[in-house]
């Protein structure tokens, strides 16, 4: 059951080599065994998962099966799931049992997939190392001293350690791609608006986007088929014809024009990572692609712009956590003001508070024009860089992260160093473009991810480009020692 | 010293929609606390706003009614502040680029017509309700109202007296009901005014510091609050004091205004475009569609009453000041009843009776159809105007009886038989020779007296115009 | 432009977050660092550039005016820290 693709798991379920209950039990067993050392999951509910599995088995028996029926999927704890604790990695929501399902959860439920548990994450998805979670840091299966990346670090660790065959993540500034890079698997951040944000706890509304995390591009395509689609409950959800994201997987990539932005290979990029990315691009050349040097001249502004826009939106999105209607409320207080101040002081972690404060500052009277408005304008420049680039090429490639996984605690007290983790990923969130990270090799036994950035709505094409690589390499199939 | 009074008004109207501004929860008034608090109203994690189409239509209707520019593209923004009845910690409103741009509303106050400029109108959402002291030291929060669609209508500081402020509020109140976007129920908070008041020395250009009187929900309170506030400001300035900008509350029990406590906490609302909501686009076609559905507006109605139906200025404006009265009046006109006579009856007998009973015209036991029947009997000389009043009072609380039955029952049918009248006239002429002489010698009054005598003799049933005709003929012989 | 202690006090107040004495200095240092990173934006001339709020140039969808939600009190009141007679309870608000 381990290391099988979603397609072959589905085939086995159909042929009844094993049942969904058995498959679920198998992964629950692995979680039990490894979660204490990895801390990838915040909540596990065997009974709920097995009930779902049994239902899936009934569907399979009746022949009412779609591809993901009965397949266990780990859900990032940012998605509200009815009856499950949904904490968003925060003390604020420690005891919050969601009374409804997010669209993503609904979609997986509809096809009879099994929720195998809720994965750990940086608090309110703010972080790049999964060290800001109230429920403790997540460990990288490749080396337990290292971070898995963030904010979808729990899902990342779970996939890398094979605690689940598939997982969901969300990506506001790189939160799917950077952990995919640091943990060595495949992750896709779709075009903004393709996956509904309904029921996905908001961090920065104009940037947040959910996406799949799995071993291969092929698996990600199957997950995308389930997750995507228009939702009337999200005003920013896009209405498009339903697409089969796996339909182009095996198309030829001969003549593909790959844009290489010189800004992605400058100072800050670890030289051994650089070497591996070059090698991966060479591999594409061998597959018939054409390499074009391009420029994203405003990319160096992406981090400053992001650290205005994301905290600004977050400061407002997180105002609802006030201890009045749900969630944490401080134990002792003198009056209403005192209740607010203490609830939010105690309920939020340091990184979240820092970002709320930054966001409040950049929106406050006298600073709005210099910060928030300025950032919105530069956001357009960054976005236009991509528009221009895609006039010359079909896909943009570069590293997903500047280095391999780093030591836990190494950057925790240095927000600026931590923020640099997302230097190659943030600009696509600002522009709303789709992007992937795929395994491209190892530096001293630690995985390195290659980033692929596509034009709007070219997910199927991106998956095709990724799959072409994965047919010719096996980096994505390698698993960490101790978790084989 | 003489002072100019400067007043601007911000009115919040609750829009007449079934569901909330950004969710499918009911907007019904008066239900059990939190029974209409859906997950969006409660600001649960992960919930997102989706704008109500009908609210947009309402805003466009208002825009059309005040001759305003309707923005083809408008933007929603978040107004951030903490308050327990504001579940998200921000209110979704419009800041830059509101849906309705500059327009105006004509008012009549102190016998003068005036155009009050309207700066803007924008869509937003209502907060919940706090009830203080549910138990000792506690406030209870009910979120049924949270998210109710509001349209905020903001004037320029164009009013210069409490009377003008009231005239504006009344006119707007009438208008929003007329175009069907608000139920106008002021007690339930559907129509609330924030009134900005300042004073300046007569003739000076620079505006004085304004104070904003919050949440006035009756015309009487507007008048009282503005009067009190103006006096207070003038007295303060004349005593050498200074006015500080403030938000103030009016206490209807004492008739006084008082600054709110939390003044030093100058708010910084940190408005920014709501990332959950995309730009609202309105097309020419949408506006044209709504234009077609719009009723004729009160001012247009008034003009057509004067020009096409021959009503006096006063009657036309009285009738056109209320959509229900207009409907009633038009129903009479549609049943081919004389418009002037109809207006007289509505503004006369019907109004005084409605006032007595303290009911609205749409609750009148005599509907337009019955009143039309009655007026027709005056027009065809079956009864006199005076007799009709008796019939009106008689049928007021008898819905089963027809107008004609009532006339019969009361024996009020007019005598139009010329033979019968002829006899009466002859008798009166014979018994009042002196008066006949007086009339012949030029005293016109004497003639009226003779008519009166004939009417008296007929017990009021003779047709007065027939009587005077006959009298004239006979005397001149 | 750099962020000062009094700015932090002001924004902490606006954001309703208490900052303890111990946290204060460390926080200030970090915020100063973050603001200096952000200030890299100031070198760019952004005159005549339209601000960008959304990645996609699409317009607001509208919802039909229908009541689709029902009474949820049974599910949501138990999740609240304090309730009484169907109301959410907070310490008394003084106006």
């Amino acid at each position: 059951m381990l290391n099988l693709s979603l397609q072959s798991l589905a085939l086995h379920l159909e042929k009844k080599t094993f049942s969904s209950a058995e498959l679920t039990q198998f992964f629950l067993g692995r979680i039990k065994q490894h979660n204490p050392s990895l801390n990838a999951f915040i909540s596990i509910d065997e009974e709920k998962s097995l009930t779902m599995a049994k239902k899936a088995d009934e569907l399979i028996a009746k022949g009412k099966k779609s591809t993901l029926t009965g397949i266990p999927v780990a859900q990032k704890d940012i998605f509200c799931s009815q009856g499950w604790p949904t904490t968003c990695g925060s003390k604020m929501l420690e005891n919050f049992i969601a009374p409804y399902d997010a669209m993503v959860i609904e979609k997986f439920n509809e096809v009879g997939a099994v929720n195998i548990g809720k994965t750990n994450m940086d608090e309110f998805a703010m972080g790049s190392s999964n060290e800001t979670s109230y429920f403790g840091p997540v460990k990288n299966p490749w080396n337990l001293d290292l971070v898995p990346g963030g904010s979808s670090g729990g899902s990342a660790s779970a996939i890398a350690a094979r605690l689940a065959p598939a997982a969901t993540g969300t990506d506001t500034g790189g939160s799917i791609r950077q952990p995919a890079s640091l943990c060595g698997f495949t992750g896709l951040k779709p075009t903004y608006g393709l996956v509904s944000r309904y029921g996905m706890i908001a961090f920065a509304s104009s940037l947040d986007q959910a996406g799949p995390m799995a071993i291969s591009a092929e698996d990600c395509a199957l997950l995308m088929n389930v997750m995507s689609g228009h939702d009337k409950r999200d005003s920013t959800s896009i209405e498009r014809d339903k697409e089969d994201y796996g339909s182009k997987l095996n198309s030829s990539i001969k003549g593909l024009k790959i844009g290489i932005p010189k800004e992605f290979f400058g100072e800050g990029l670890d030289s051994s990572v650089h070497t591996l990315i070059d090698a991966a691009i060479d591999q594409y050349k061998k597959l018939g692609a054409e390499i074009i040097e391009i420029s994203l001249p405003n990319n160096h502004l992406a981090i400053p712009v992001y650290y205005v826009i994301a905290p600004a939106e977050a400061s407002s999105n997180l105002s609802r956590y006030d201890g009045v209607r749900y969630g944490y409320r401080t134990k002792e207080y003198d009056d209403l003001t005192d209740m607010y101040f203490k609830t939010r002081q105690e309920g939020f972690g340091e990184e979240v508070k820092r970002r709320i404060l930054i966001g409040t500052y950049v929106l406050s009277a006298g600073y709005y024009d210099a910060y928030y408005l300025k950032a919105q304008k530069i956001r357009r420049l960054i976005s236009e860089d991509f528009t221009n680039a895609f006039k010359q090429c079909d896909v943009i490639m570069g590293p997903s992260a500047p280095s391999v996984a780093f030591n836990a605690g190494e950057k925790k007290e240095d927000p600026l160093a931590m923020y640099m983790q997302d230097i190659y990923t943030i600009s696509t969130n600002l522009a709303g473009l789709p992007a992937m990270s795929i395994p491209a090799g190892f530096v001293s036994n630690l995985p390195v991810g290659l980033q692929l950035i596509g034009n709007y709505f070219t997910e199927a094409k991106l998956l095709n480009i990724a799959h072409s690589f994965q047919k010719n390499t096996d980096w994505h199939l390698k698993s960490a020692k101790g978790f084989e | 010293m003489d002072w100019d009074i400067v007043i601007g008004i911000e009115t919040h109207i609750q829009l007449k929609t079934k569901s909330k501004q950004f969710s499918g929860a009911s907007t019904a008034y008066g239900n059990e606390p939190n029974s209409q608090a859906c997950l969006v109203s409660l600001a649960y994690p992960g919930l997102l706003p989706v704008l109500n189409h009908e609210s947009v239509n309402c805003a466009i209707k208002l825009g059309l009614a005040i001759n305003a520019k309707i923005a083809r593209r408008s933007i929603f923004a978040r107004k951030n502040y903490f308050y327990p009845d504001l579940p998200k910690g921000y209110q979704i409103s419009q800041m830059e680029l509101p849906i309705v741009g500059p327009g105006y509303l004509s008012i009549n106050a102190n016998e003068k017509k005036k155009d009050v400029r309207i700066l803007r109108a924008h869509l937003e959402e209502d907060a919940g309700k706090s009830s203080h002291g549910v138990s000792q030291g506690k406030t209870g929060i009910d979120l049924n109202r949270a998210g109710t669609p509001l349209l905020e209508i903001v004037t320029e500081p164009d009013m210069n007296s409490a009377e003008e402020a009231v005239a504006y509020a009344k006119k707007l109140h009438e208008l929003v009901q007329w175009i069907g976007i608000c139920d106008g129920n002021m007690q339930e908070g559907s129509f609330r005014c924030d009134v900005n008041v300042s004073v300046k020395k007569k003739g000076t250009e620079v505006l004085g510091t304004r104070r904003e009187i919050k949440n006035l929900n009756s015309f009487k309170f507007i008048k009282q609050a503005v009067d009190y506030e103006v006096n207070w400001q003038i007295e303060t300035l004349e005593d050498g004091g200074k006015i500080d900008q403030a938000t103030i509350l009016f206490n209807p029990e004492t008739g006084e205004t008082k600054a709110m406590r939390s003044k030093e906490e100058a708010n910084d609302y940190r408005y920014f475009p709501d990332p959950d909501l995309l730009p609202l686009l309105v097309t020419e076609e949408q506006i044209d569609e709504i234009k077609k559905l719009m009723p004729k507006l009160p001012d247009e109605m008034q003009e057509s009453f004067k020009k096409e139906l021959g009503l006096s200025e006063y009657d036309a404006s009285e009738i056109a000041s209320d959509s229900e009265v207009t409907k009633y009046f038009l129903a009479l006109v549609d049943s081919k009843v004389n418009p002037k006579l109809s207006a007289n009856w509505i503004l006369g007998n019907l109004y005084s009776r409605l006032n007595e009973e303290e009911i609205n015209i749409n609750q009148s036991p005599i509907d337009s159809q019955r009143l039309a029947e009655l007026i027709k009997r005056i027009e065809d000389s079956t009864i006199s105007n005076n007799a009709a009043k008796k019939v009106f009072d008689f049928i007021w609380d008898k819905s089963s009886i027809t107008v004609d039955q009532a006339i019969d029952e009361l024996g009020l049918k007019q005598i139009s038989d010329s033979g019968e009248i002829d006899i009466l006239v002859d008798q009166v002429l014979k018994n009042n020779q002196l008066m006949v002489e007086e009339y012949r010698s030029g005293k016109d009054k004497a003639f009226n007296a003779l008519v009166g005598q004939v009417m008296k003799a007929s017990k009021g049933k003779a047709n007065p115009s027939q009587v005077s005709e006959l009298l004239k003929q006979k005397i001149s012989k | 432009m750099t962020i000062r202690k009094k700015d932090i006090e002001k924004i902490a107040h606006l954001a309703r977050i208490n900052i303890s004495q111990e946290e204060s200095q460390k926080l200030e240092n970090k915020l100063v660092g973050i603001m200096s990173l952000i200030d890299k934006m100031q070198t760019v001339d952004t005159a005549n550039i339209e601000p960008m709020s959304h990645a996609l140039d699409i317009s607001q969808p509208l919802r039909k005016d229908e009541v689709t939600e029902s009474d949820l009190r049974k599910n949501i009141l138990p999740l609240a820290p304090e309730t009484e007679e169907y109301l959410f309870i907070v310490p008394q608000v003084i106006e």
Side-chain angles (χ1 to χ4, degrees):
Chain A
M1 294 181 206
L2 206 60
N3 297 320
L4 289 180
S5 72
L6 297 183
Q7 193 71 63
S8 36
L9 283 177
L11 218 65
H12 284 296
L13 286 172
E14 197 178 344
K15 286 191 188 145
K16 307 201 172 67
T17 322
F18 44 78
S19 68
S20 169
E22 284 162 338
L23 182 65
T24 303
Q25 195 68 71
F26 172 76
F27 281 107
L28 284 171
R30 281 188 70 81
I31 294 170
K32 242 187 224 165
Q33 187 189 345
H34 296 294
N35 199 49
S37 59
L38 293 171
N39 198 23
F41 287 84
I42 291 175
S43 28
I44 303 147
D45 188 327
E46 279 195 36
E47 207 183 303
K48 274 205 175 68
S49 299
L50 286 170
T51 308
M52 293 175 93
K54 279 171 198 151
K55 261 195 205 147
D57 283 329
E58 282 166 30
L59 283 176
I60 294 166
K62 280 187 214 149
K64 286 183 185 164
K65 180 186 181 314
S66 59
T67 317
L68 295 189
T69 311
I71 305 251
V73 180
Q75 301 288 359
K76 186 174 181 180
D77 208 21
I78 200 168
F79 295 104
C80 286
S81 329
Q82 191 163 10
W84 291 75
T86 301
T87 68
C88 219
S90 181
K91 179 179 181 181
M92 202 54 108
L93 293 174
E94 186 178 5
N95 298 310
F96 181 72
I97 311 283
Y100 76 106
D101 280 329
M103 175 69 146
V104 164
I105 300 291
E106 259 178 24
K107 293 252 182 186
F108 280 110
N109 288 347
E110 268 167 33
V111 299
V114 174
N115 185 344
I116 193 86
K118 306 288 298 285
T119 60
N120 205 341
M121 56 182 284
D122 277 302
E123 185 180 9
F124 286 103
M126 297 178 191
S128 306
S129 65
N130 223 302
E131 292 170 288
T132 73
S133 170
Y134 174 67
F135 302 92
V138 178
K139 303 291 164 56
N140 189 325
W142 293 93
N143 179 339
L144 297 181
D145 294 332
L146 307 183
V147 302
S151 67
S152 311
S155 288
S157 178
I159 294 296
R162 307 292 190 256
L163 305 189
T168 56
T170 61
D171 190 317
T172 305
S175 286
I176 288 176
R177 291 161 287 161
Q178 182 254 11
S181 177
L182 269 48
C183 288
F185 60 92
T186 307
L188 165 66
K189 177 205 101 68
T191 304
Y192 182 84
L194 217 49
V195 177
S196 168
R197 294 187 296 116
Y198 175 81
M200 181 177 122
I201 298 176
F203 161 17
S205 312
S206 79
L207 307 168
D208 295 344
Q209 183 60 211
M213 300 169 88
I215 292 173
S216 68
E218 205 182 347
D219 289 354
C220 284
L222 292 174
L223 293 165
M224 261 310 275
N225 282 347
V226 173
M227 295 171 77
S228 62
H230 180 243
D231 184 358
K232 283 195 287 200
R233 297 163 299 185
D234 171 4
S235 297
T236 60
S237 163
I238 288 165
E239 224 170 331
R240 299 187 95 233
D241 289 339
K242 191 81 192 156
E243 194 175 343
D244 176 1
Y245 292 97
S247 62
K248 293 182 187 160
L249 279 179
N250 290 303
S251 304
S252 159
I253 58 160
K254 269 214 171 66
L256 179 78
K257 288 185 192 157
I258 300 174
I260 306 297
K262 56 174 186 277
E263 292 80 5
F264 279 19
F265 296 87
E267 204 190 328
L269 178 63
D270 187 284
S271 62
S272 44
V273 172
H274 194 320
T275 311
L276 281 185
I277 299 300
D278 283 345
I281 292 164
D282 274 342
Q283 176 74 39
Y284 272 107
K285 237 191 277 185
K286 279 183 210 146
L287 295 171
E290 183 188 334
I291 309 300
I292 297 159
E293 187 171 308
I294 59 157
S295 174
L296 299 170
N298 293 293
N299 191 68
H300 66 288
L301 295 164
I303 287 183
V305 166
Y306 177 84
Y307 280 97
V308 171
I309 292 175
E313 293 182 8
S315 71
S316 176
N317 283 335
L318 271 57
S319 290
R320 63 187 60 198
Y321 306 105
D322 57 4
V324 176
R325 299 163 311 284
Y326 52 78
Y328 178 76
R329 181 190 280 195
T330 185
K331 295 295 160 274
E332 276 172 47
Y333 44 88
D334 303 330
D335 55 24
L336 179 70
T337 311
D338 196 38
M339 184 190 99
Y340 278 150
F341 277 85
K342 283 189 186 150
T343 295
R344 291 167 62 80
Q345 175 188 25
E346 296 159 14
F348 291 134
E350 261 182 59
E351 181 64 24
V352 170
K353 283 190 273 193
R354 264 201 299 274
R355 296 203 197 184
I356 290 176
L357 292 174
I358 292 287
T360 305
Y361 184 61
V362 298
L363 290 173
S364 66
Y367 297 103
Y368 181 90
D369 285 3
Y371 292 121
Y372 184 75
L373 200 64
K374 183 105 190 170
Q376 296 266 50
K377 290 178 173 183
I378 302 177
R379 182 178 183 181
R380 186 168 300 280
L381 295 177
I382 291 168
S383 179
E384 281 168 357
D385 283 353
F386 283 107
T387 312
N388 293 330
F390 284 119
K391 285 176 189 154
Q392 303 165 337
C393 62
D394 306 312
V395 64
I396 295 168
M397 288 188 194
S400 300
S403 67
V404 293
F406 48 92
N407 279 308
E410 184 185 320
K411 300 181 201 286
K412 203 176 172 224
E413 289 305 314
D414 184 357
L416 299 194
M418 187 72 87
Y419 295 174
M420 288 306 150
Q421 276 297 304
D422 297 328
I423 188 158
Y424 308 124
T425 47
I426 277 178
S427 52
T428 48
N429 294 82
L430 292 169
L433 292 164
M436 291 185 73
S437 178
I438 59 173
F442 290 82
V443 172
S444 19
N445 207 31
L446 293 173
V448 167
L450 170 73
Q451 188 179 203
L452 322 177
I453 303 169
N455 211 338
Y456 299 105
F457 307 115
T458 58
E459 284 78 4
K461 182 77 192 158
L462 277 182
L463 288 161
N464 160 230
I465 297 167
H467 184 63
S468 308
F469 186 80
Q470 292 180 340
K471 277 197 293 190
N472 291 282
T473 57
D474 62 357
W475 307 118
H476 62 293
L477 299 175
K478 303 249 189 269
S479 47
K481 224 174 135 195
F483 300 97
E484 303 95 336
Chain B
M1 207 181 301
D2 275 343
W3 296 86
D4 285 328
I5 303 165
V6 179
I7 300 169
I9 300 183
E10 292 163 19
T11 311
H12 288 91
I13 64 165
Q14 284 182 349
L15 298 175
K16 223 161 88 181
T17 59
K18 295 187 204 80
S19 62
K20 291 187 179 175
Q21 190 73 300
F22 297 108
S23 76
S26 168
T27 54
Y29 180 83
N31 287 332
E32 277 191 336
N34 289 312
S35 59
Q36 286 153 209
C38 65
L39 295 178
V40 174
S41 317
L42 290 158
Y44 256 57
L47 269 299
L48 300 166
V50 185
L51 183 59
N52 190 333
H53 195 161
E54 189 53 31
S55 305
V56 176
N57 291 346
C58 289
I60 295 173
K61 280 182 191 167
L62 180 93
L64 291 170
I66 59 165
N67 305 293
K69 237 178 132 157
I70 289 150
R72 295 300 183 270
R73 181 170 177 275
S74 68
I75 301 287
F76 287 90
R78 294 182 180 180
K79 178 183 184 180
N80 295 284
Y81 66 96
F82 283 88
Y83 203 81
D85 64 16
L86 186 74
K88 296 189 292 295
Y90 58 86
Q91 178 197 34
I92 304 177
S93 180
Q94 297 192 294
M95 180 61 174
E96 282 175 79
L97 304 182
I99 180 160
V100 178
Y104 65 87
L105 194 63
S106 306
I107 61 165
N108 267 301
N110 305 327
E111 325 242 303
K112 263 195 351 230
K113 203 181 148 193
K114 179 173 195 173
D115 287 345
V116 174
R117 288 170 301 157
I118 289 169
L119 178 65
R120 57 184 284 162
H122 60 258
L123 288 166
E124 57 183 33
E125 53 178 348
D126 215 339
K129 270 186 187 158
S130 304
S131 24
H132 306 306
V134 270
S135 48
Q136 186 64 32
K138 287 175 177 180
T139 289
I141 310 293
D142 170 13
L143 297 174
N144 281 352
R145 196 181 66 177
T148 297
L150 292 180
L151 187 64
E152 179 175 341
I153 303 154
V154 184
T155 74
E156 297 280 5
D158 278 359
M159 289 152 281
N160 302 105
S161 65
E163 289 74 21
E164 286 185 0
V166 171
Y168 166 78
K170 280 189 172 162
K171 186 70 182 277
L172 183 65
H173 184 247
E174 173 44 41
L175 182 70
V176 296
Q177 290 176 81
W178 185 288
I179 59 177
I181 66 170
C182 174
D183 68 15
N185 192 326
M186 295 177 82
Q187 254 150 28
E188 291 177 5
S190 300
F191 188 95
R192 324 188 294 253
C193 294
D194 298 341
V195 182
N196 286 294
V197 180
S198 66
V199 298
K200 63 179 173 68
K201 280 187 191 153
K202 217 167 202 91
T204 50
E205 288 290 309
V206 187
L207 291 177
T209 305
R210 68 197 164 100
R211 305 214 309 164
E212 183 180 21
I213 317 167
K214 277 275 178 202
N215 264 327
L216 295 170
N217 66 346
S218 98
F219 302 124
K220 202 174 93 193
F221 294 165
I222 295 177
K223 173 88 171 66
Q224 287 176 350
V226 172
D227 281 341
Y228 182 90
E229 179 63 21
V230 164
N231 277 333
W232 182 87
Q233 289 192 13
I234 292 174
E235 268 174 33
T236 304
L237 291 172
E238 287 185 345
D239 290 349
K242 198 175 137 273
I243 309 280
D244 290 323
Q245 192 160 336
T247 302
I248 56 186
L249 292 174
F250 173 69
N251 182 343
E253 272 148 43
T254 60
E256 294 175 359
T257 54
K258 209 177 143 199
M260 282 169 83
R261 212 180 59 103
S262 52
K263 218 217 76 190
E264 77 271 33
E265 230 178 78
N267 259 315
D268 181 347
Y269 291 123
R270 289 157 286 134
Y271 280 98
F272 75 105
D274 191 332
D276 286 330
L277 293 163
L278 299 158
L280 171 63
L281 304 186
V282 175
T283 64
E284 210 68 50
E285 292 76 48
Q286 273 170 285
I287 297 175
D288 286 343
E289 276 306 301
I290 291 170
K291 241 181 221 164
K292 278 185 219 150
L293 302 171
M294 286 277 282
K296 228 184 215 178
L297 296 174
D299 288 352
E300 294 166 2
M301 212 46 115
Q302 193 181 328
E303 274 311 295
S304 80
F305 288 168
K306 281 194 311 200
K307 288 207 176 106
E308 288 155 36
L309 302 176
L311 298 197
S312 70
E313 171 86 35
Y314 177 80
D315 286 2
S317 97
E318 278 298 305
I319 292 197
S321 75
D322 185 307
S323 58
E324 291 301 327
V325 176
T326 299
K327 262 188 226 158
Y328 194 103
F329 171 71
L330 289 174
L332 289 180
V333 173
D334 282 347
S335 2
K336 308 266 183 287
V337 182
N338 178 292
K340 277 192 199 169
L341 204 50
S342 301
N344 286 341
W345 268 86
I346 291 171
L347 301 175
N349 295 308
L350 183 62
Y351 258 35
S352 58
R353 193 64 199 254
L354 294 174
N355 281 339
E356 255 170 52
E357 313 268 338
E358 292 185 346
I359 54 175
N360 290 326
I361 197 161
N362 46 1
Q363 299 163 301
S364 167
I366 298 182
D367 62 13
S368 56
Q369 209 187 329
R370 263 156 94 70
L371 187 61
E373 281 168 32
L374 180 60
I375 297 175
K376 274 184 188 158
R377 290 293 166 263
I378 303 171
E379 287 183 311
D380 67 11
S381 301
T382 308
I383 49 173
S384 67
N385 205 51
N386 276 336
K389 286 177 192 167
K390 286 180 192 152
V391 176
F392 179 85
D393 287 334
F394 186 73
I395 61 170
W396 181 261
D397 46 15
K398 295 183 189 64
S399 58
S400 55
I401 196 164
T402 68
V403 168
D404 287 337
Q405 282 166 348
I407 293 171
D408 282 345
E409 204 162 303
L410 294 170
L412 290 173
K413 196 174 259 176
Q414 219 160 225
I415 306 165
S416 296
D417 179 336
S418 52
E420 254 180 79
I421 296 175
D422 206 70
I423 296 165
L424 289 172
V425 167
D426 284 344
Q427 260 173 13
V428 168
L429 287 176
K430 210 169 95 191
N431 296 341
N432 293 281
Q433 294 288 346
L434 205 64
M435 272 192 218
V436 176
E437 287 309 316
E438 278 177 9
Y439 174 63
R440 282 193 170 129
S441 65
K443 281 191 182 165
D444 284 348
K445 264 191 188 166
F447 183 77
N448 291 339
L450 286 168
V451 175
Q453 289 293 327
V454 179
M455 292 305 292
K456 199 176 157 193
S458 76
K459 292 184 184 109
K461 290 186 209 168
N463 183 332
S465 55
Q466 226 176 334
V467 171
S468 42
E469 196 111 324
L470 261 171
L471 272 170
K472 268 183 198 158
Q473 275 176 23
K474 297 205 182 218
I475 294 171
S476 63
K477 259 182 201 164
Chain C
M1 276 190 278
T2 184
I3 190 164
R4 290 169 209 284
K5 208 169 218 95
K6 69 171 180 19
D7 298 317
I8 297 172
E9 279 164 17
K10 190 189 119 191
I11 55 179
H13 182 81
L14 283 173
R16 300 290 186 275
I17 293 175
N18 215 18
I19 295 163
S20 67
Q21 213 83 71
E22 311 87 76
E23 290 171 290
S24 171
Q25 193 53 52
K26 205 171 97 181
L27 177 71
E28 189 184 335
N29 295 343
K30 285 184 178 161
L31 294 187
V32 166
I34 297 169
M35 288 316 296
S36 70
L37 171 77
I38 288 172
D39 270 327
K40 284 191 185 146
M41 293 193 315
Q42 306 307 340
T43 57
V44 187
D45 177 12
T46 50
N48 307 319
I49 294 166
E50 189 66 23
M52 177 173 162
S53 304
H54 294 98
L56 297 163
D57 193 17
I58 52 175
S59 72
Q60 179 65 30
L62 298 170
R63 182 177 54 79
K64 219 171 139 196
D65 182 24
E66 289 172 335
V67 176
T68 53
E69 303 300 316
S70 46
D71 189 348
L72 296 175
R73 290 179 295 178
K74 224 171 54 200
N75 302 326
I76 53 109
L77 291 174
L79 286 169
E82 190 179 353
T83 60
E84 202 176 302
E85 287 164 15
Y86 301 136
L87 295 164
F88 298 105
I89 298 298
V90 297
Q92 177 132 14
V93 180
I94 304 147
E95 282 187 357

